[in-house]
Amino acid sequence: MKRTAWIIVTLLLLLGSIPITASAKEATAKSWKTLYSEYIKKTLMDATRDRSYDGDFNYFTLVDLNFDGTPELIQGYSLRFIQPINIALTVQNGKVIPFNYQGKLKDISEGIFNVGMGGFLPRDENRGLHLYKNKKDGTLRYIAFVDGSGSYNSNLQVYEISIQGTKFNDKEIFLADIPDQEKTDDLPSYYVNQKEVNKSAYDKAYKQYFSNLTLVPSKVITANYTDLFNNEVNKFVPNGVANFINRYSSSK
């Protein structure tokens, strides 16, 4: 009996010392849905406490920028020329990680990137975020169209968007600034790769650039602040955050 008891004890000790397998670790890791849900709820509560959000023009967007099957989470404000992005996150190894921005800010009012929040909203073919395929090599790239308008002018900025790991780049390839000729004597200005050109050169470069690309379907899922949180009663919209996140999974 003593010998049998020692064998049992030894087996229990050996089993207890076996390391946890990768699959067991993965089973305990939080999904991107859970991670983003927790983050969004905390962000909304923090914003409510310090009253930093104007609900009608604040947005959250889910989009898979690095094509790894897990969406990134973007949050920002979009109204006329005011387009700051405040939050940009990805998920790696079961953790929420902020983007590492590789550009240089031209204007601090733009937020954490130069590309504005309007470039991360699903709008029409000339505005918002779109996915293109290169006709020659089949590579994919996201292009953000950010339009702004004010009392005296309107503009359109076009950015190439890319992310590798956490390194995020936004390259401005086109900018057209069009004054309202009824309100100002300023002339329109056009830029290609941040160099000023005339209208003819701009149109030629724009046409040539997009002639090499084909628009392809993409998933860009957006929720307004008011879809998620009710300021009047200071409570979350029932299932608002869950519905937003599940829309990404259910969409094609």
Side-chain angles (χ1 to χ4, degrees), residues 23-66:
S23 59
K25 288 181 179 178
E26 289 171 2
T28 60
K30 292 181 179 179
S31 68
W32 68 265
K33 292 184 179 181
T34 299
L35 290 168
Y36 284 157
S37 177
E38 293 174 348
Y39 195 98
I40 291 170
K41 288 178 180 178
K42 182 181 183 304
T43 299
L44 291 172
M45 288 304 299
D46 290 345
T48 301
R49 281 193 290 268
D50 63 21
R51 299 181 180 276
S52 61
Y53 278 14
D54 182 336
D56 291 335
F57 305 106
N58 269 284
Y59 301 90
F60 288 83
T61 292
L62 290 169
V63 56
D64 185 6
L65 294 175
N66 57 9

Side-chain angles (χ1 to χ4, degrees), residues 90-140:
T90 189
V91 171
Q92 291 187 357
N93 300 319
K95 295 181 179 179
V96 173
I97 301 174
F99 288 9
N100 176 12
Y101 186 50
Q102 299 297 293
K104 293 183 179 179
L105 289 176
K106 294 185 295 183
D107 186 342
I108 196 64
S109 66
E110 295 290 341
I112 60 176
F113 305 142
N114 284 316
V115 60
M117 187 62 199
F120 286 92
L121 301 178
R123 292 182 170 174
D124 55 44
E125 62 181 8
N126 298 311
R127 300 185 303 165
L129 189 63
H130 298 284
L131 182 61
Y132 287 85
K133 178 185 287 188
N134 188 294
K135 292 180 180 178
K136 294 181 179 179
D137 58 22
T139 56
L140 297 171

Side-chain angles (χ1 to χ4, degrees), residues 149-163:
S149 61
S151 300
Y152 293 93
N153 67 322
S154 61
N155 66 28
L156 174 67
Q157 295 172 286
V158 182
Y159 288 88
E160 290 180 352
I161 302 298
S162 64
I163 180 172

